[in-house]
Each structure stands twice: as C-alpha cells, then as structure tokens.
Amino acid sequence: MAFPAGFGWGAATAAYQVEGGWNADGKGLSVWDTFTHQGGERVFKNQTGDVACGSYTLWEEDLKCIKQLGLTHYRFSLSWSRLLPDGTTGFINQKGIDYYNKIIDDLLANGIIPIVTLYHFDLPQALEDQGGWLSEAIIDSFDRYAQFCFSTFGDRVKQWITINEPNIFSLLTYDIGVFPPCMPHIGTGGYQAAHNLIKAHARSWHSYDSLFRKEQKGMVSITIFGGWVEPADPDSLADREAAQRAIAFLVDFFAKPIFIDGDYPEVVKSQVASMSKKQGYPSSRLPEFTEEEKKMIKGTADFFAVHYYTTRLVKHQENKKAELGVFFDAEIELSTHPSWKNMKWVYVVPWGIRKLLKYIADMYNNPVIYITENGFPQGDPATLDDTQRWEYFKQTFQEVFKAIQLDKVNLKVYCTWSLLDNFEWTDGYSLRFGLFHVDFEDPARPRVPYKSAKEYAKIIRNNGLEGDL
Ligand code: GAL
C-alpha cells in the first residue's frame, strides 16, 4: 500500500499540553494556568501543565524524537500568553518569540515542515477577564494576535491553523462548562462562542490574505474535531436522519459557513429555532450572521483540516420536554457498539475515518484535506510494547489508504496525536496518547519510544504499509 509521492507524515502537540514553563521568562497566565491552580478535583488528581513534558526547556529532546520518526511535518501550537502576556500587542515577550523561532528554524534546518496552530484552548487570562469568547471584542484581539504571528513567523511558517477544534472547545468551555473558564450557559453559551470563533477565524484569514499572502505564500485553515456517526438502526429512517443531524451539528456547523456559503446548515438553524420557540425564547438561541458577515466568512480556508478519533451510533431521540442542550437541540442520542474496544471516550473504529474523509470530499467539493490529529490512548501506566495500539494505527492507515486509492479523497497530510505523552486536559496524565513515553515523575522527563513509534517510523520511511488491498 504505497501512499502518493510526497504524502505528509506528521505528529502533533499543543503548547499547554507539553511546554510547561507556565510562568517562565515573562509568560502571562492562560485560562488553563488559572483553572489548574484552582484545584477542586476538576482535573484528574488536580494535575497541572506547570511542567508537563518540559518542552519549553527540552525542545531539543523533542526534535530528537521528531527526527527519529522521520516526520515530514510537525504540528505544534503557539502559547498566546507566552508571546503576548496580557493577550495584546501592547507588550511583546521577546523570550517567547525566541523560543518559537528556534523550534521553527530547527525544523526547517532538518527539512521538516511546521504546521502552526495559533490557538489551542489556552486563552490569555487577561482576555478571559474581558469576556473571553462570549464577547465580540475577542474577534479584534484574535485578529491582532494572528497578524502579529504572521508577521513574526510567516517568513518561515507556510501552514497555519487559526483555531483548534472550535466545535469541541465552544461546547466544553461556555456551554457545559467543564473546560476553563468553566462557564456553563447550557444551550446558549456554546453557540455564542462558536459565532465569535467563526468570525475571528474569518477575520484573521482575510488579514493573511490581504496583508501577507502575496509575500509569504502560505495557507491558512481551522481544524475541526471530526468523528463518524452511523444510524443505530440502519433500517430506521428516523435514525438515518438523526445521523445526518449529528454530523451537521458536529462538522458542518463550522465547515459549511467557512467552506460553502457563510451560514450555518439549514437543519441546525431549524432545529435550534424550533426548540427555542418551544422553550419560550423570543428568537433562536443560535445567533444569526448578517449578510455582510456571511460574505466575510465564506471561503476562508485554504485546505480542510480535520481530526478523527472515534465513531458513535446515533438514535433519533425526540426532545419531548424541550430540554436545553446541544444534543437536545439535535434530538439525538449517542451510543456505541458492544464489539468496539475502547479506552475512555475513544472507541476504536478504524473504518470511521474513511467514511468521514469521504463525507468531506463529497460535501466540500473534494478539498485538499489534512488529518491534523488521530490517535489512541493508553492508560497509565502504559506499556512500551503497545502492540495492540499499533494494530489500531495499522488498521487506520489501511482505511486512510482506501480513502485515497478507492474513494479518490484528496488527503495530503496525516498527523498522529501525539508526539509525546502529555497533559490530557481534564484527564491529566492518566491518558497517554504519545508515540514517545514520558516519565512525569522524573525531572529530566525522559522520552522513550513506544513500539508504535518504531513502527510509524517504518511506515514513514516506506511511505506506506506492507500488503495490498
Ligand atoms: C483533541 C485535542 C487535543 C488532544 C486530543 C486527545 O480534542 O485537540 O489537544 O487532547 O483531543 O484527547
């Protein structure tokens, strides 16, 4: 199974999850610093990213891992509050610039292409204090930060991701409120944040397009947390429609405005509007874009970046009591199949990735696609001989190969999550997604390859897998 020549093989990380150095050299606080320092058992064992993998001081160790794998791409994120401690360009932290310059220069010197995410969940606390993503003011702040990054690093960085997983982020932060700033506004906050996230993304894409593209010749996109959904009962029309609604709320909610026409999917608009009406709201809880905004949002991504971890079965579930919440709005109930193995929320369904890729190709006019995250966690302690996990990766690569070969999907880059075991948000260090094991008890934070790392290196070297379809 030979992949197309020039196919990109990468791995991903994110600033708060690996860097540590939470207050080093003038870095400002992010919402994750504040949140993890508050304790209260909202994160596994009250763990924090204060040190994490220590990548702020151990970047050279990360580079060794990257080279050992032979990656063609490395995706990492910039810590906004390391660069701009209070979130604004009023004060710029040169030490932060130096840190990322070194990463970028080292990657390029080794022939590795950086894919850089501007924002991966870690809002500067100072901006959260002014209303965060619920406030429209964030659009300007984000755009200024993005322009600062393009002008500082864009001579060398050509592949940008503005915002990581706005869909999961808006839901967990301002809707159900389990991620900082932990502000539950169930049924409204997620939509309000999503609205601002989309506009902030679009604005920064236009800034790149009008101020930087000509000279820098790069590409800008946004990563969407994808997944696949199958009707629980394929013979039931209601379940098949429920599965369509599920993917519309999950993927198209962000992708349709950005890739197609500047507006939310009709089914999302009508579901939220009719539930809102039943609940006595004067208008839909889903905000509307003005005609001008639609024009501004439409067509603001240069490739389609998506994540795949898992699949769910979907059942139609009428919202009889008109309860509040995104799942109630979508009138869906999710479940899993008893035959699917899992570690926490990641149920292993390798064929789901092929279906998701095909869906994107069909819906979005066969765009260039990057899988910017895909992976399987182990629990803690994790075994270095992760044969079973490698089996999942292999099956996934087979499905990805079918998507390219048989479905003619225009997939150009695949990144695993993650290069290193790292701080897995509210699961702390209890879930290990790394290709490299990190000993979080040892101050030196040694990185040791799992079997999966060695096997992935072989795939990369051969640009494909053994065997045939
Ligand atoms: C994604 C996220 C990553 C990582 C991964 C595994 O949602 O972008 O930061 O934590 O999930 O849970």
Side-chain angles (χ1 to χ4, degrees), residues 13-14 17 75 120-121 164-165 168 223 225 307 309 345-346 373 417 422-425 427 431 433:
T13 59
Q17 296 180 274
R75 174 177 177 237
H120 198 123
F121 301 173
N164 183 67
E165 296 183 348
I168 285 297
T223 60
F225 178 92
H307 299 169
Y309 285 94
W345 56 275
V346 184
E373 287 183 27
W417 183 268
N422 61 52
F423 178 79
E424 179 51 27
W425 308 119
D427 288 317
L431 281 188
F433 273 95

Side-chain angles (χ1 to χ4, degrees), residues 182-213:
C182 302
M183 287 186 186
H185 298 280
I186 294 182
T188 54
Y191 296 142
Q192 201 179 323
H195 210 63
N196 289 329
L197 284 157
I198 291 173
K199 289 199 266 186
H201 159 79
R203 270 275 288 284
S204 65
W205 183 92
H206 281 289
S207 294
Y208 189 82
D209 202 49
S210 58
L211 303 172
F212 301 96
R213 187 189 297 280

Side-chain angles (χ1 to χ4, degrees), residues 25-26 80-86 88-98 144 148 151-153:
D25 298 336
W80 187 341
S81 63
R82 192 180 293 294
L83 289 163
L84 310 179
D86 70 0
T88 76
T89 46
F91 177 72
I92 294 170
N93 181 22
Q94 185 58 41
K95 287 279 174 59
I97 300 184
D98 296 345
R144 276 195 230 115
F148 159 78
S151 80
T152 309
F153 306 113

Side-chain angles (χ1 to χ4, degrees), residues 115-222:
I115 304 177
V116 177
T117 309
L118 296 177
Y119 178 69
H120 198 123
F121 301 173
D122 49 350
L123 192 68
Q125 183 61 45
L127 296 179
E128 186 53 59
D129 295 342
Q130 292 161 38
W133 288 101
L134 292 181
S135 153
E136 266 201 276
I138 194 74
I139 300 169
D140 251 353
S141 309
F142 183 76
D143 183 37
R144 276 195 230 115
Y145 164 60
Q147 288 191 36
F148 159 78
C149 295
F150 298 148
S151 80
T152 309
F153 306 113
D155 55 334
R156 289 151 295 150
V157 174
K158 305 298 168 189
Q159 316 212 354
W160 294 101
I161 302 295
T162 55
I163 295 164
N164 183 67
E165 296 183 348
N167 47 348
I168 285 297
F169 172 75
S170 51
L171 187 70
L172 297 184
T173 49
Y174 301 95
D175 207 87
I176 56 177
V178 293
F179 274 22
C182 302
M183 287 186 186
H185 298 280
I186 294 182
T188 54
Y191 296 142
Q192 201 179 323
H195 210 63
N196 289 329
L197 284 157
I198 291 173
K199 289 199 266 186
H201 159 79
R203 270 275 288 284
S204 65
W205 183 92
H206 281 289
S207 294
Y208 189 82
D209 202 49
S210 58
L211 303 172
F212 301 96
R213 187 189 297 280
K214 202 162 154 233
E215 203 176 310
Q216 298 185 352
K217 302 185 175 66
M219 310 198 291
V220 180
S221 189
I222 183 167

